[in-house]
Amino acid sequence: MNTKTVRHMYVTAAVAVAFASITSCNGSGGEQDSKQDRGAGVVKVDPIAALRSVQAKTKGADSARVEGTTVMGDAMSMKQSGAIAWTDGLTGTIEITYTGGTMADSLKQAGVNGPIEARYFKEGYVVNMGAATAQQSGGKHWISYDYDDLAEVAGAAGEVMKDQLQNTTPDQGVKSLLASGDVKKVGREDVRGVTATHYSGTVDVAELSAKNSSLDADQLAQLKKQLSDAGITTEKVDIWVDDNDLLVKKVERGQMKTGEFNSTVFYSDYGTKVSAERPAASDTVDFRELMQKGTS
């Protein structure tokens, strides 16, 4: 694998880290039916008032521990765990392990065999992909990403990602259901030993993204085209809420042209202490520098 390919792969893989944090709070996928929604077990009641209480309570909790898995077709599957806070933008530290897909295969070929550490700040995030990264970046272990730069590279989809990363909280899954107009209370279920109420609904991804961002007409048209090209239209959102009106689990499922999208996240220890220390500048390289070297 030549140097140019390796550098580009590191940049691409690390950009995927952004989606790990988004899916920990709010993500997007496609529609996929749930068997639990089709039988007599569905309790059709008006859950709007209850969900508004959950949204307010979860948003006001300020921080939590997260643990989850994400699958994006045959491109990648990963698991993530850590702690995040959302009082002033998304901050925190998450450990990410690529468990399958073409991305994991490419990383292994390049010498990245262990977990990846990501630290999130208000204006961007940094990623440590281990010693293999340092060999391609002048001995520096951390790659830094600025949300404005990512938005510029990714176009309209980047603008949406920037908004989500800077403003998102775990209650975004609740907001998605409130905005969907298709909310069902499924019933009471056990989530890791906690009795929780299960709600379910289907969300139009493009419509929700437009509502939750400041895209102009041209950017919105570009976003819809990007989503359409990827085969993304709607997503199925399921959340579980404990008796304290706090989110304890969220599942988002769907279908893309490259395969199934599936994100499952568990939340616990609300109010936990969260830290995200910036690495030394001497050990950090900007992703734009890698992009320039990768195309030179």
Side-chain angles (χ1 to χ4, degrees), residues 238-288:
D238 291 83
I239 65 170
W240 287 258
V241 179
D242 68 13
D243 291 337
N244 293 316
D245 283 346
L246 290 172
L247 190 66
V248 293
K249 180 182 178 182
K250 175 175 61 66
V251 175
E252 294 172 299
R253 298 185 299 276
Q255 196 68 32
M256 306 177 296
K257 286 185 177 179
T258 56
E260 181 188 21
F261 170 88
N262 193 317
S263 168
T264 299
V265 183
F266 295 91
Y267 303 90
S268 63
D269 298 326
Y270 280 92
T272 190
K273 184 177 180 181
V274 175
S275 63
E277 185 177 339
R278 294 184 183 276
S282 59
D283 198 24
T284 305
V285 60
D286 190 283
F287 98 100
R288 292 172 302 182

